[in-house]
């Protein structure tokens, strides 16, 4: 199945890690739920929201007068952006797809983690744990991502997604390594101050960006995709983006929404639009929320 699409940073730990840190998933899940239900009681939340009012996409970037950065609505669902985090904060996301490829069932995954560091001065580092089988509370994996701002409106991220997955439990085709560049076009200011209407991402990776599933191969499709992935996002109206993405194996289209005056973000769309992989299109959604740890 396409579980890796649903938990990014975006759809997306082994038995070894679970035995050593058996309480970690429970703690992280509680933190995510607590943050979503009681955001005002989290340390530093007000500062985070003030930063987001000035500028920011769902992963927080500081505003500078001399550059435009991504707007505040979600811009990708099936691919990782070149933008990373800024500062210290917790983050959580929930993602799902219906129907799964080659079945009529739904699939859902959750992810939660933390990031630290200044990508303008040095690097930002993010680490997260994914729960890919929500119903059975099993099939864990981890993501590790570093990001760095290069020049005006441009950032690069690199990382590994869904490492430490248990091969007996998961249908994720091994760990995925990638590098991605994102740019916010400097000549198209958004209705959000300090932001750009138009951003795009291009990247390259292995794993989910390169290999089709065993079901695709059994259906007569080539084993390999393009390895190159990318996407474009345009602000249709204030706080609403129209997004198109190529995952390396198929096409997706979505809307990115920021419905409230805080960091809560939503993405909803359709994936597997072409017959290049999977047996039918599928609906997809992603919900994310960051919680600042800085005062």
């Amino acid at each position: 199945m396409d579980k890796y699409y649903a938990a990014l940073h975006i759809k997306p730990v082994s038995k070894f890690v679970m035995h050593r840190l058996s309480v970690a998933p429970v703690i992280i899940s509680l933190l995510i739920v607590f943050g979503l239900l009681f955001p005002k009681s989290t340390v530093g939340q007000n500062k985070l929201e003030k930063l987001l009012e000035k500028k920011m996409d769902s992963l927080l970037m500081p505003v500078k007068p001399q550059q435009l950065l991504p707007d505040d609505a979600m811009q990708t669902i099936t691919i990782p952006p070149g933008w990373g985090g800024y500062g210290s904060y917790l983050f959580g996301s929930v993602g799902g797809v219906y129907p799964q490829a080659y079945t009529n069932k739904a699939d859902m995954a959750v992810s939660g983690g933390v990031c630290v560091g200044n990508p303008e001065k040095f690097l930002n580092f993010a680490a997260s744990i994914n729960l890919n089988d929500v119903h059975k509370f099993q099939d864990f994996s981890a993501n590790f991502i570093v990001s760095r701002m290069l020049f005006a409106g441009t950032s690069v991220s690199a990382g590994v997604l869904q490492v430490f997955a248990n091969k007996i439990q998961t249908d994720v085709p091994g760990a995925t390594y990638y590098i991605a560049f994102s740019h916010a076009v400097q000549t198209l200011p958004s209705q959000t101050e300090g932001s750009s209407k138009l951003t795009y991402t291009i990247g390259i990776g292995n794993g989910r960006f390169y290999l089709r599933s065993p079901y695709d191969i059994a259906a007569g499709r080539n084993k390999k995709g393009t390895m190159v992935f990318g996407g474009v996002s345009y602000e249709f109206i204030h706080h609403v983006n129209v997004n198109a993405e190529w995952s390396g194996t198929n096409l997706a289209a979505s809307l990115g929404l920021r419905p409230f005056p805080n960091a809560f973000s939503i993405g909803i769309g359709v994936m597997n639009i072409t017959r290049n992989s999977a047996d039918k299109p599928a609906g997809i959604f992603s919900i994310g929320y960051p919680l600042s740890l800085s005062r």
Side-chain angles (χ1 to χ4, degrees):
M1 205 305 293
D2 311 71
K3 288 188 178 181
Y4 42 86
Y5 285 120
L8 260 166
H9 325 239
I10 153 75
K11 293 179 57 8
V13 191
S14 68
K15 287 184 177 179
F16 174 82
V17 177
M18 289 172 64
H19 286 319
R20 298 297 190 274
L21 300 172
S22 59
V23 298
V26 178
I27 294 174
I28 290 172
S29 299
L30 291 175
L31 285 172
I32 295 171
V33 172
F34 181 81
L36 290 171
L37 295 178
F38 305 100
K40 292 295 181 182
S41 61
T42 304
V43 176
Q45 179 65 18
N46 289 339
K47 179 179 179 180
L48 175 62
E49 291 182 354
K50 289 178 182 178
L51 287 172
L52 288 169
E53 287 173 1
K54 289 182 177 180
K55 160 62 255 135
M56 197 45 265
D57 75 342
S58 58
L59 286 181
L60 310 181
M61 283 297 187
V63 178
K64 283 198 165 185
Q66 70 269 26
Q67 68 175 324
L68 298 179
L69 295 170
D71 70 3
D72 52 20
M74 192 174 292
Q75 293 149 27
T76 66
I77 298 182
T78 66
I79 64 172
W83 307 104
Y86 185 89
S88 302
Y89 61 93
L90 298 174
F91 57 88
S93 66
V94 179
V97 58
Y98 177 81
Q100 300 180 39
Y102 301 99
T103 78
N104 291 316
K105 298 179 180 179
D107 185 32
M108 189 171 72
V110 299
S111 180
V114 62
C115 84
V116 293
N118 186 329
E120 290 186 303
K121 294 181 178 179
F122 183 55
L123 295 172
N124 181 270
F125 172 75
S128 58
I129 296 177
N130 311 305
L131 172 59
N132 295 319
D133 191 336
V134 176
H135 300 293
K136 296 182 180 179
F137 206 77
Q138 66 179 18
D139 191 4
F140 291 87
S141 61
N143 305 330
F144 301 101
I145 299 171
V146 293
S147 60
R148 166 76 180 179
M149 290 195 68
L150 301 177
F151 45 85
T154 304
S155 180
V156 59
S157 71
V160 56
L161 307 175
Q162 295 176 297
V163 68
F164 304 140
N166 188 318
K167 293 183 179 180
I168 297 177
Q169 295 176 344
T170 190
D171 52 16
V172 174
T176 291
Y177 296 84
Y178 81 92
I179 183 169
F181 294 84
S182 290
H183 178 70
V185 176
Q186 300 297 289
T187 56
L188 292 172
S190 161
Q191 295 183 54
T192 301
E193 184 181 357
S195 302
S196 173
K197 280 181 174 288
L198 180 64
T199 64
Y200 58 85
T201 295
I202 186 167
I204 187 169
N206 66 353
R208 57 188 262 194
F209 305 118
Y210 186 47
L211 300 176
R212 292 185 176 87
S213 73
Y215 299 104
D216 284 332
I217 297 171
R221 294 181 175 87
N222 192 293
K223 179 180 179 181
K224 298 177 181 179
T226 63
M227 192 176 258
V228 175
F229 60 87
V232 61
S233 176
Y234 183 77
E235 183 184 77
F236 177 63
I237 58 176
H238 200 199
H239 304 310
V240 179
N241 291 341
V242 177
N243 312 314
E245 306 166 38
W246 173 257
S247 68
T249 59
N250 217 315
L251 188 66
S254 65
L255 290 177
L257 312 170
R258 185 186 169 196
F260 309 114
N262 56 33
F264 183 76
S265 58
I266 300 172
I268 185 168
V270 60
M271 58 184 285
N272 298 332
I273 294 175
T274 74
R275 296 303 303 273
N276 202 51
S277 67
D279 59 333
K280 55 187 172 294
I284 188 171
F285 79 91
S286 179
I287 301 172
Y289 200 90
L291 301 167
S292 175
L293 298 176
S294 303
R295 289 189 179 276

